[in-house]
Amino acid sequence: MTLSSQIQPGREAVRQVTVPASIPMVTLVGPRDEFLRTLETHLDADVHVRGNEITFTGPADAVTRAAEVLTELITIVRTGQGLTADAVERVIGMSADPDTRAAEILTQNILSTRGKTIRPKTLNQKRYVDAIDTHTVVFGIGPAGTGKTYLAMAKAVQALQAKEVNRIILTRPAIEAGERLGFLPGTLNDKIDPYVRPLYDALHDMVDADSVPKLLTAGTIEVAPLAYMRGRTLNDAFIILDEAQNTSMEQMKMFLTRLGFNSRMVVTGDVTQVDLPGGTKSGLREVQSILDGVDDIAFCQLTNQDVVRHRLVGRIVAAYDRYDSLQPQGSRGRPGGPAARRVARHAGQRRSTESGESS
């Protein structure tokens, strides 16, 4: 791969990148030049392709950045990893930081299973994964779709396969998202299943389907509501607490003090989606101020820029963030929250009862 550049009259820069002959151009430019159009759109540089040479024309900073992005894309393709439109957009986003090498992030393998390799896809995701490697307790805080739980699950399975731990324990609080499930039919496991189903879904992505029942039966993998953790000491385990924004202060303390020898904990949650009853403080919201500065504990913040679901999810999260920022400080999260709705409904019922009694 070779690079050449020059400045043309009118202060317009030209940068040329020669793609190695070993790389099929279609893997780099995308179907119907989709990836190149993404570069043009996001980097304000004109793109011209001739043979295996790609030329960028435009403002000097734009063509320099475009050439650097293309170089990173070439490095990713060389590892045998295919490109997608989302991956190209993520590389462009990471190129804003001159100290970040997108290829290093997107080619870091965490777990390979069933023909699928799990990797971090953003800089913050890499920082999160690195924190799990270097700290005993890690908090992953961010909006939906940022891979908080999924990456923690991948690290847990990796640790189990490497025999760094003897078991995986997955837990979450049994809180409904604004709905009342009532008295569910079936056995205790049937009642618990709806709450822990997302953890099972992630687990089936990473472990052979035939092995999951055996691991669950043997206790090598345990999935349970948070209330079942009280009174236990968890040794030689990788423990994940999901949906931690729905823990109370007391529950968070209870969970963290379950940590035993040779164990690791990852706590994940989204503090913008709290479903606790009105007046109950979220343990996840308060824990950072309590544990700030404690050694061997890391707090990793993920944002809408780290959303790796459908690209529209990131835009939805960003739109809600903008909406919240425009609300008065005292009223944020009140009008539409499930807890607020329940409080308002109960208040209305009390007023109706009092009115009936007074009449």
Side-chain angles (χ1 to χ4, degrees):
M1 178 180 61
T2 59
L3 295 172
S4 63
S5 60
Q6 66 183 79
I7 303 296
Q8 291 186 340
R11 298 182 179 178
E12 192 173 67
V14 177
R15 194 77 177 263
Q16 187 178 83
V17 179
T18 302
V19 179
S22 60
I23 296 180
M25 288 296 291
V26 68
T27 64
L28 195 60
V29 303
R32 297 181 296 279
D33 295 340
E34 179 185 5
F35 303 158
L36 294 185
R37 286 198 301 273
T38 300
L39 294 179
E40 284 186 315
T41 301
H42 291 277
L43 298 176
D44 194 27
D46 293 329
V47 182
H48 303 278
V49 181
R50 185 175 182 179
N52 68 332
E53 293 182 347
I54 299 177
T55 303
F56 299 100
T57 306
D61 57 343
V63 299
T64 298
R65 188 176 171 191
E68 291 173 351
V69 168
L70 184 61
T71 301
E72 292 294 302
L73 295 177
I74 290 172
T75 302
I76 292 170
V77 171
R78 274 177 160 169
T79 66
Q81 181 179 338
L83 292 177
T84 64
D86 286 342
V88 173
E89 288 190 14
R90 287 197 278 283
V91 173
I92 292 171
M94 285 184 271
S95 68
D97 183 351
D99 297 326
T100 300
R101 298 272 71 86
E104 292 181 9
I105 296 171
L106 297 180
T107 57
Q108 177 182 337
N109 295 344
I110 300 174
L111 184 69
S112 295
T113 178
R114 299 162 62 183
K116 178 181 179 181
T117 300
I118 299 172
R119 305 179 177 94
K121 295 183 178 179
T122 69
L123 177 58
N124 283 337
Q125 285 192 353
K126 183 180 187 300
R127 289 169 175 164
Y128 176 48
V129 168
D130 290 344
I132 294 174
D133 285 334
T134 55
H135 294 79
T136 300
V137 178
V138 175
F139 291 83
I141 303 171
T146 51
K148 308 179 298 295
T149 304
Y150 200 79
L151 291 174
M153 289 281 289
K155 293 300 295 182
V157 174
Q158 181 193 51
L160 183 66
Q161 291 179 345
K163 301 189 184 304
E164 296 172 6
V165 297
N166 293 333
R167 55 182 171 157
I168 297 172
I169 298 175
L170 312 172
T171 185
R172 63 186 329 206
I175 297 289
E176 303 102 337
E179 299 178 2
R180 310 299 286 173
L181 299 182
F183 294 96
L184 293 170
T187 65
L188 181 59
N189 286 336
D190 293 332
K191 296 175 190 294
I192 291 169
D193 189 77
Y195 297 104
V196 296
R197 176 51 52 185
L199 298 176
Y200 281 119
D201 292 342
L203 186 60
H204 278 276
D205 274 358
M206 301 172 193
V207 179
D208 184 73
D210 294 335
S211 300
V212 173
K214 298 176 184 176
L215 293 171
L216 291 170
T217 301
T220 304
I221 297 177
E222 177 183 347
V223 184
L226 178 60
Y228 285 25
M229 297 297 107
R230 185 172 294 279
R232 302 178 63 183
T233 301
L234 307 174
N235 296 317
D236 299 304
F238 196 115
I239 311 137
I240 299 173
L241 170 59
D242 189 31
E243 297 291 333
Q245 75 274 7
N246 288 329
T247 61
S248 65
M249 296 276 288
E250 294 78 10
Q251 287 175 318
M252 180 63 74
K253 179 181 177 182
M254 179 274 290
F255 173 77
L256 293 174
T257 54
R258 301 308 95 200
L259 182 68
F261 294 106
N262 192 39
S263 289
R264 284 185 272 171
M265 281 184 169
V266 179
V267 179
T268 70
D270 177 4
V271 292
T272 69
Q273 297 194 51
V274 177
D275 300 305
L276 291 167
T280 303
K281 287 186 178 181
S282 167
L284 186 61
R285 280 182 175 165
E286 304 297 327
V287 72
Q288 186 163 4
S289 60
I290 296 171
L291 299 181
D292 186 41
V294 177
D295 289 341
D296 210 16
I297 295 178
F299 288 87
C300 299
Q301 299 287 340
L302 296 107
T303 71
N304 62 290
Q305 299 298 318
D306 301 301
V307 172
V308 293
R309 291 180 182 170
H310 191 288
R311 66 184 68 180
L312 188 58
V313 174
R315 296 168 191 164
I316 291 171
V317 171
Y320 271 92
D321 288 344
R322 288 193 298 271
Y323 172 81
D324 286 341
S325 68
L326 296 174
Q327 304 308 303
Q329 186 68 31
S331 64
R332 288 183 189 176
R334 289 183 183 175
R341 288 195 295 271
R342 288 195 292 269
V343 171
R345 184 167 61 250
H346 295 160
Q349 291 170 350
R350 286 196 299 272
R351 284 195 297 271
S352 176
T353 303
E354 292 167 359
S355 175
E357 291 172 349
S358 63
S359 62

